[in-house]
């Protein structure tokens, strides 16, 4: 029997990037906010202290900072009609667990999506006509435009101290930045990162081929930075242990280094860790949430009543909780009706590994977001007429740390083991680098989430089921992008290269990116979106689902910057509209 | 004395004057000559201890199989020690005994159909059980084919068996041969390159092979020295916890360079 707790104003389900920002701002207004986090507490000190912070096996291979799959995972199949099976160990993507969520172990690449991304369908139809989109493509406009989001991108970048060079200030193209980006109201809060040897070589080659290289926008601090909340981040030392690791310097923006130090001092906020929310409770007519039910680390079940329920966990759990709780109509791909679970999308990554005989790179040095990139082949930045696909992505060369268990590239054709393999590893470990082609992914009728009929979590509840595969649009795009990347590698002087566009069925085994999107997508039409343009549930208006779960399809960028902008966008609507008159906002 | 040891001595002596006094506030190292002696002593002790440590999971038969198998996957050659010399069998033993071997923090509920390659690990066996079954089956195959267990075969025969397991020419009874082989290969690479605290990468053989410096130093300046090789004596976690390596105020290693150039 659940223990009923005293009501509060706001509950956040998940205490990561989105949950901490929303909690901080709403607690500042005087609202009582409770943060429920299924994982434990963790902070820069002592959890990421040296020298244990630099343990590749523990963090990169055994995934210490990620989700405990023994309690909950998801099931996966490539297509309707296949039997989905559980993801038993980490592979393709790495969802986080614990305070800070995946924003603890991320790399820190922090983009704004293009103005085009937010109006994918209408702009594609306007420029190319309906023939450019596959018949089963369900990509759509977001119901919000870049111009509406610009102030929110700005707020997030200043909160997280993003380091970069503007390429477009109020419509004027700036030298050294990304000339394709949407107009910014002001410069980045911090200067871009230093340029590594790889970055210099890649940038020179790309420029010679007529592209517009620039340093990637980074959440690895280029100098100590005090954000608008008064929290100070340290400076990055280019140690090369970002992705999958916590930062011992407090130099990577995360909830721990930007928001939690002030949030934890606010008496209106209460954090409960090891508290796993299993359901959002609705009233009898199912139009209003009355709170959430969670189970704590002693097995006790609690009911936490709240006026406002904010779903602020990773993509998967936002969608799963809506399905488990009966918030919105589940998506049915056969009828193409219903909304919750609709438009799951991913990232279509390819790569080129470039090998050199006459250069050394010291690639074990670096930072998560230390990259040189081009954006010429992204979004609709180039003419797609006759190409048979829409979208694109950034193409870049990173120096994000070359930990040797995962990084020991050998030219294709080298045996997988034995003396020849060992020679090639020894020869090329410091003479090779990768170029990533970071492609977008459109949404399709057959790619979606629902609840699995067979497999269950530790509480006996159905797991989320993912049905996903790439389509012709993605294969063609990846092929096009990866050919461009190979041309850059050749211009850079590579003696040999491995060229790997995205081919074959999507596999959940090799790591690709933790850039899962959709399932509770936003839009202007309740028939094709689970949440409105403010990320508010159409069906249960005191529930908001915040995060990349709202992306109707995925752009060619890492999602975090846009997740941050959507968070502030939803927050503003809650503060200026919802709290004054609780109810549907659109 | 090996070439790298000679270089280390030379560079350690040279660096005695070059390291700022305040740079190692946390560790308060002994003077350089003593420091080097301590380091050498420690290396001997640690190596001997690791070699003598009894296995926690593996039987003698299984350890003999792995010693032989990993010596083919990463062989000892003119470039240096291989996986066997680097203690990869010890590494695998410890991994199988612990959370990895028992699938801690992984989803283990059935049912367990084999699934498609795209669906990944679907075995009802934990990695520990995969090794147990895989080694037993592979040894049975060897006895049937050659009249001896794997470790007693000639190098050429062992090579033939491993290629058979890898290429699918040999099939095993209780686990798919390729599944077992892939796990063995992945764990061998892990054991060769992981921090020595896990029992492999003995004497940092894996790191020395590729020039990986281990626990990082502050690279803020060196990241901009394009094309200049960074050759450091690699530093492990226990070098720091045992105060054998020096650290800065944030705990980053202060690397001793192999070519007498100051680190960072």
């Amino acid at each position: 029997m659940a223990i009923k707790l005293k009501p509060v104003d706001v509950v956040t389900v998940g205490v990561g990037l989105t949950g901490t920002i929303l909690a901080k701002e709403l607690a500042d207004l005087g609202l009582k906010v409770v943060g429920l986090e299924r994982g434990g507490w963790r902070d820069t000190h002592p959890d990421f202290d040296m020298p244990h912070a630099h343990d590749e096996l523990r963090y990169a291979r055994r995934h210490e900072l990620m989700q405990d799959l023994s309690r909950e995972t998801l099931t996966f199949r490539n297509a309707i009609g296949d039997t989905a099976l559980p993801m038993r160990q980490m592979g393709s993507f790495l969802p986080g667990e614990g305070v800070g969520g995946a924003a603890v172990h991320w790399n820190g690449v922090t983009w704004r999506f293009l103005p085009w991304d937010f109006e994918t369908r209408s702009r594609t139809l306007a420029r190319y006509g309906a023939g450019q989109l596959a018949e089963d493509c369900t990509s759509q406009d977001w119901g919000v435009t870049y111009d509406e989001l610009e102030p929110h991108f700005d707020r997030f970048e200043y909160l997280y101290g993003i380091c970069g060079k503007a390429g477009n200030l109020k419509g004027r193209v700036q030298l050294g930045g990304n000339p394709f980006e949407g107009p910014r109201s002001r410069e980045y809060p911090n200067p871009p990162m230093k340029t590594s040897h790889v970055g210099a070589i890649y940038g020179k080659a790309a420029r010679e081929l007529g592209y517009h290289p620039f340093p990637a926008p980074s959440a690895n601090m280029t100098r100590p930075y005090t954000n608008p909340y008064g929290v100070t981040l340290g400076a990055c030392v280019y140690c090369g242990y970002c992705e999958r690791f916590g930062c011992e310097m407090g130099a990577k923006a995360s909830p721990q280094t930007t928001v939690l130090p002030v949030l934890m001092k606010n008496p209106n906020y209460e954090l409960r860790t090891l508290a796993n929310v299993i359901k959002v409770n609705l009233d009898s007519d199912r139009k209003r949430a009355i709170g959430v039910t969670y189970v704590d680390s002693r097995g006790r079940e609690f009911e936490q009543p709240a006026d406002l329920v904010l779903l602020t966990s990773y993509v998967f759990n936002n969608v799963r909780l809506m399905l488990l709780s009966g918030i919105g109509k589940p998506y049915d791909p056969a009828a193409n009706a219903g909304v919750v679970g609709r438009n799951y999308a991913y990232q279509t990554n390819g790569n080129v590994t470039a090998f050199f005989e006459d250069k050394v790179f010291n690639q074990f040095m670096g930072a998560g977001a230390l990259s040189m990139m081009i954006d010429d082949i992204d979004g609709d930045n180039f003419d797609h007429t006759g190409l048979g696909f829409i979208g694109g992505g950034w193409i870049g060369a990173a120096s994000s740390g070359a930990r040797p268990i995962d990084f020991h590239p050998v030219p294709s054709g080298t045996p997988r083991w034995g003396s020849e393999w060992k020679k090639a590893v020894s020869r090329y470990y410091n003479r090779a680098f990768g170029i990533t082609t970071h492609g977008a992914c459109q949404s399709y009728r057959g790619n979606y989430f629902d609840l699995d009929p067979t497999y269950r979590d530790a509480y006996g509840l159905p797991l989320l089921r993912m049905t996903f595969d790439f389509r012709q649009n993605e294969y063609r795009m990846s092929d096009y992008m990866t050919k461009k990347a190979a041309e850059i590698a050749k211009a850079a002087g590579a003696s040999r290269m491995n060229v790997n566009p995205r081919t074959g069925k999507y596999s959940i085994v090799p790591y690709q990116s933790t850039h899962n999107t959709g399932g509770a997508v936003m839009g202007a039409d309740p028939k094709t979106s689970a949440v409105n343009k403010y990320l508010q549930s159409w069906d249960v208006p005191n529930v908001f689902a915040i995060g990349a779960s709202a992306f109707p399809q995925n752009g060619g960028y890492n999602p975090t910057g846009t997740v941050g902008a959507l968070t502030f966008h939803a927050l503003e609507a809650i503060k200026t509209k919802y709290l004054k008159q609780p109810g549907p906002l659109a | 004395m090996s070439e790298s040891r000679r270089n280390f001595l030379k560079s350690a002596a040279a660096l005695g004057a070059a390291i700022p006094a305040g740079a190692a506030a946390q560790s308060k190292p002994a003077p350089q000559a003593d420091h080097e002696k301590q380091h050498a002593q420690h290396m001997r002790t640690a190596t001997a201890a690791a070699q003598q440590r009894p296995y926690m999971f593996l039987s003698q038969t299984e350890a003999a199989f792995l010693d032989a198998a990993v010596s083919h996957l990463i062989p000892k050659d003119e470039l240096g020690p291989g996986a066997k010399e680097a203690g990869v069998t010890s590494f695998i033993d410890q991994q199988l005994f612990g959370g990895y071997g028992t699938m801690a923090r992984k989803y283990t509920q059935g049912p367990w159909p084999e699934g498609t390659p795209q669906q990944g690990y679907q075995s009802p066996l934990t990695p520990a059980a995969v090794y147990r079954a895989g080694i037993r089956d592979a040894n049975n195959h060897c006895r049937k084919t050659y009249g001896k267990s794997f470790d007693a075969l000639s190098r050429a025969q062992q090579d033939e068996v491993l290629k058979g397991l890898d290429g699918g020419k040999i099939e095993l009874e209780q686990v798919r041969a390729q599944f077992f082989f892939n796990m063995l290969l992945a764990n061998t690479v892990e054991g060769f390159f992981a921090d020595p605290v896990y029992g492999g990468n003995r004497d940092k053989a894996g790191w020395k092979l590729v020039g990986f410096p281990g626990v990082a130093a502050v690279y803020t300046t060196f990241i901009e020295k394009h094309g200049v090789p960074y050759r450091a004596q690699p530093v492990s976690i226990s070098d720091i916890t045992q105060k054998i390596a020096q650290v800065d105020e944030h705990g980053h290693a202060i690397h001793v360079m192999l070519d007498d150039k100051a680190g960072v």
Side-chain angles (χ1 to χ4, degrees), chain A residues 50-58 61-73 76-78 82-90 97 194-198 200 236-241 248-249 360-362 364-367 370 399 402-406 408 416-427 429-430 454-458 463 505-509, chain B residues 72-82 91 95 100 103-123 159 162-163 166 178 181-182 185-187 189-195 197-198 206-207 209-231 236-238 240-241 250-253 264:
Chain A
M50 293 292 286
H52 294 281
H54 289 192
D55 184 340
E56 183 185 12
L57 188 79
R58 177 173 175 177
R61 300 287 298 185
R62 302 288 181 258
H63 308 117
E64 177 150 324
L65 301 177
M66 286 76 162
Q67 182 174 331
D68 181 349
L69 300 178
S70 71
R71 294 180 179 204
E72 182 194 328
T73 183
F76 161 71
R77 59 182 180 173
N78 277 122
D82 296 352
T83 302
L85 296 179
M87 179 177 82
R88 297 189 180 277
Q89 59 184 14
M90 291 289 178
E97 181 174 294
K194 296 185 173 199
T195 302
S196 70
H197 191 201
V198 161
C236 172
V237 298
Y238 298 83
C239 77
Y241 290 85
E248 69 274 12
M249 295 298 288
V360 294
F361 300 120
N362 301 329
F364 44 83
M365 301 178 186
L370 178 59
S399 300
R403 284 96 48 189
I405 301 174
D406 275 330
H408 50 263
R416 292 208 303 155
W417 48 274
S419 208
E420 269 188 70
W421 174 85
K422 187 182 175 192
K423 282 191 181 74
V425 166
S426 168
R427 167 142 194 90
Y429 171 77
N430 207 17
T454 306
Y455 293 95
R456 292 179 178 260
D457 71 4
L463 296 180
K505 284 182 177 184
Y506 168 70
S507 166
I508 205 161
V509 179
Chain B
H72 287 265
L73 301 182
I74 308 180
K76 179 181 174 183
D77 58 15
E78 68 277 13
L79 294 171
F91 169 86
Q95 289 297 305
Y100 171 80
M103 281 188 92
R105 305 183 79 240
K106 291 179 183 176
Y107 190 81
T108 54
Q109 295 179 41
W112 295 276
E114 274 200 350
T116 65
Q118 288 76 24
Q119 291 174 311
Y121 197 116
Q122 293 300 335
S123 174
D159 204 54
L162 290 170
K163 281 181 178 147
D166 187 13
Q178 189 68 63
F181 184 87
N182 286 350
L185 180 58
N187 294 151
V189 171
E190 285 176 349
F192 195 62
F193 287 126
D195 191 283
V197 74
Y198 296 100
W207 293 352
L209 177 74
V210 297
F212 179 66
V215 177
V218 168
Y219 298 134
T220 311
T221 306
F222 211 97
I223 190 86
E224 292 188 303
K225 294 190 180 175
H226 297 173
V228 182
Y230 184 89
R231 296 198 187 94
S236 70
I237 289 169
S238 77
I240 290 178
T241 57
H250 294 290
H252 293 104
V264 282

Side-chain angles (χ1 to χ4, degrees), chain B residues 28-247:
Chain B
K28 293 204 175 140
Q32 279 302 325
D34 287 354
H35 168 69
E36 165 56 18
K37 260 188 241 159
Q38 266 181 14
H39 183 86
Q41 177 60 36
H42 163 77
M43 291 310 301
R44 279 192 294 275
T45 316
T47 304
Q51 278 161 355
Q52 284 158 16
R53 181 160 33 212
Y55 294 122
M56 295 182 284
F57 173 78
L58 298 172
S59 69
Q60 292 298 316
T61 306
E62 290 165 338
F65 176 94
L66 289 180
D67 271 346
V70 304
S71 78
H72 287 265
L73 301 182
I74 308 180
K76 179 181 174 183
D77 58 15
E78 68 277 13
L79 294 171
K84 181 185 167 188
E85 296 72 29
V88 164
T89 305
S90 258
F91 169 86
I92 292 175
D93 175 66
Q94 290 179 48
Q95 289 297 305
L96 296 182
F97 181 78
Y100 171 80
T102 53
M103 281 188 92
R105 305 183 79 240
K106 291 179 183 176
Y107 190 81
T108 54
Q109 295 179 41
W112 295 276
E114 274 200 350
T116 65
Q118 288 76 24
Q119 291 174 311
Y121 197 116
Q122 293 300 335
S123 174
L125 304 181
T126 61
V130 168
Y131 272 85
R132 188 130 284 165
I135 292 173
R136 186 169 176 271
D137 282 359
N139 270 335
N140 283 342
H141 166 85
C142 294
R143 282 191 206 96
K144 211 163 70 186
T145 313
Y146 307 100
K148 290 176 189 168
S149 62
F150 180 79
D151 61 291
L153 302 182
S154 70
R155 289 286 293 177
Q157 287 168 330
Q158 287 174 344
D159 204 54
E160 193 175 277
V161 172
L162 290 170
K163 281 181 178 147
L165 293 171
D166 187 13
K169 280 191 191 145
I170 298 173
E171 202 36 273
L172 302 178
E173 179 58 30
Q174 302 175 87
V175 290
R176 282 188 301 115
Q178 189 68 63
F179 179 64
F180 169 54
F181 184 87
N182 286 350
M183 187 181 284
L184 172 62
L185 180 58
N187 294 151
T188 301
V189 171
E190 285 176 349
F192 195 62
F193 287 126
D195 191 283
V197 74
Y198 296 100
N201 194 10
R202 198 169 282 166
D203 198 26
K204 298 156 194 159
W207 293 352
K208 286 174 184 168
L209 177 74
V210 297
F212 179 66
V215 177
V218 168
Y219 298 134
T220 311
T221 306
F222 211 97
I223 190 86
E224 292 188 303
K225 294 190 180 175
H226 297 173
V228 182
Y230 184 89
R231 296 198 187 94
Q233 180 83 9
V235 172
S236 70
I237 289 169
S238 77
D239 288 344
I240 290 178
T241 57
Q242 298 188 36
K243 303 194 191 308
I244 288 160
Q246 300 182 48
V247 295

